[in-house]
Structures are given as C-alpha cells and as structure tokens.
Amino acid sequence: MQKITTFLWFDNQAEEAMNHYISIFKNSKVLSVTRWPKGHPQEGQVLVASFELDGVQFQALNGGPQYKFTEAISLSIDCKTQEEVDHFWTRLTEGGEPGRCSWLKDKFGVSWQVVPEQLPRLLQDPDRAKAGRVMSAMMQMGKIEIDKLEAAARG
C-alpha cells in the first residue's frame, strides 16, 4: 500500500479527469468511485474517484469551485525517450496550455512537468560550462527536446 497519495480537488470534473489520465498513462486503472447516496442533492454524482497511474495512486474529489490548481505544485513525469516526452506533452496539452522549461497545464488546470532523464543528468554535470549551456538551451524550450540539450552540452 502506498503511504502518501496525491489528492486532487476538482470543481466537478473528477471522473472526467481520472478517465483522461488513465487514457494517457500505461498500466493505469480505476480503483474505486464513490458517488453521492440516494436522497442527497447530488445523488449519483461522483464524490471521490480513486485511480492508479503507472503504479501511483491518486484520489480526485469533486469539491466545488472554491479552490483552483496553481503551479505551486506540479506532477513530474520522468521520460526515457523523446517519444515518451512527445506522447505526454501532446496528450496533456490537449485543451490545456504549454508552458516553458518542461511545464504545462492540462485542460483541468493541473500543472505537469514532462522531463527526459537526460535533463537532470546534464544539468548536474561537473563541467559547469556544459551545464550552463544546457540550462540556457532548456530556458528557450517549452517541450524539452533531447537532441537540442545534448547539442548544447557538446557546445
């Protein structure tokens, strides 16, 4: 059992968001859906949805419009290849907004970072000039392009 679970507060799109995310990530599934009981003004509507994305559990609540997502918290996706970066970037920006330096907002307002594994490795290179070139290249990007990072690293 996972000790810490990310809990996402939606106005009324918890089920839609859960289904959208499950369609994007491999090895994902619905764990449970709790609906408002009979006699409640929101009878039959989703209260809480629990789901798993590639082995990580999440919960989504239809809590109303009081709170909105901000960039103060984001979900980071580690990618091995450019193909993976492209997949997640394309699917998560559908109806959302591309950002800078690997960040984006999906159509629900949730912030994500789509990060190839090469980025932190290159930024942590002991050759600080090389790391600086990589940082400069990254700062010009929205979606990260591995070949451009590696070219910057080579100088």
Side-chain angles (χ1 to χ4, degrees), residues 1-5 31 52 55-57 59:
M1 181 170 140
Q2 186 173 300
K3 186 98 170 152
I4 298 172
T5 301
L31 299 175
E52 194 173 283
V56 178
Q57 293 181 14
Q59 288 190 327

Side-chain angles (χ1 to χ4, degrees), residues 100-121:
R100 294 191 51 191
C101 305
S102 82
W103 290 65
L104 64 90
K105 275 191 182 180
D106 70 21
K107 66 183 179 178
F108 305 104
V110 176
S111 291
W112 296 81
Q113 296 176 61
V114 182
V115 183
E117 64 184 15
Q118 294 85 345
L119 180 60
R121 179 178 47 80

Side-chain angles (χ1 to χ4, degrees), residues 46 55 71 155:
V46 171
E71 294 84 354

